[in-house]
């Protein structure tokens, strides 16, 4: 019977050792889980910060694009108006040249 008790004691020792090993593995896994949860929280915070920054940049960009579009519109209207002024100036110049030309041929303005 002592031999069976020794075998049983050996089994018990192995069983306790296995349980201790499993407990150590569980502790290590708990540490890894805690680290992963901390990393997850950190990344979620960084994502939130970056999302807020992205939102600000997008709003700023939209305002700048709207301003540029308004400037494009103003420039286009100004160019059209300027071309009308140039056309009117050319027409005025042509009319003035004709008038001056007709005055030169007018008998009242000829000098002796």
């Amino acid at each position: 019977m002592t031999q069976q008790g020794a075998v049983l004691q050996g089994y018990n020792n192995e069983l306790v050792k296995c349980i201790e090993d499993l407990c150590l593995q569980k502790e290590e896994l708990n540490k890894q889980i805690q680290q992963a949860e901390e990393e997850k929280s950190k990344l979620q915070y960084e994502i939130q910060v970056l999302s807020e920054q992205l939102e600000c940049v997008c709003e700023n960009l939209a305002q700048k694009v709207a301003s540029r579009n308004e400037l494009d519109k103003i420039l286009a209207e100004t160019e059209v108006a300027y071309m009308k002024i140039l056309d009117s100036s050319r027409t005025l110049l042509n009319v003035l040249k004709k008038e001056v030309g007709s005055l030169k041929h007018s008998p009242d303005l000829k000098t002796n």
Side-chain angles (χ1 to χ4, degrees):
M1 179 97 160
T2 0
Q3 188 179 15
Q4 291 174 339
V7 170
L8 185 58
Q9 183 64 37
Y11 290 157
N12 187 48
N13 288 343
E14 282 186 56
L15 185 58
V16 168
K17 174 79 169 116
C18 286
I19 291 173
E20 287 175 351
D21 287 346
L22 288 174
C23 287
L24 289 174
Q25 287 178 4
K26 179 183 173 188
E27 286 178 29
E28 180 60 30
L29 193 55
N30 280 336
K31 287 179 186 177
Q32 292 174 1
I33 289 170
Q34 180 65 30
Q35 289 173 345
E37 286 175 345
E38 289 172 3
E39 181 69 14
K40 177 185 169 191
S41 294
K42 178 184 170 190
L43 290 173
Q44 285 176 326
Y45 175 77
E46 289 175 4
I47 288 170
Q48 180 184 353
V49 169
L50 289 173
S51 293
E52 290 170 3
Q53 289 177 349
L54 178 61
E55 185 178 338
C56 288
V57 168
C58 287
E59 288 174 8
N60 188 291
L61 178 61
Q63 290 172 350
K64 288 181 180 186
V65 168
S67 294
R68 183 191 60 195
N69 291 343
E70 185 64 24
L71 286 174
D72 284 344
K73 179 182 170 188
I74 291 169
L75 281 170
E77 291 171 354
T78 302
E79 287 175 1
V80 167
Y82 184 70
M83 292 307 291
K84 288 180 181 178
I85 290 170
L86 286 178
D87 190 46
S88 295
S89 295
R90 184 177 59 242
T91 301
L92 178 61
L93 181 61
N94 288 338
V95 168
L96 186 60
K97 283 180 180 179
K98 284 182 185 177
E99 290 295 323
V100 169
S102 4
L103 285 176
K104 285 183 180 177
H105 295 335
S106 171
D108 293 340
L109 291 179
K110 288 189 180 179
T111 57
N112 292 332

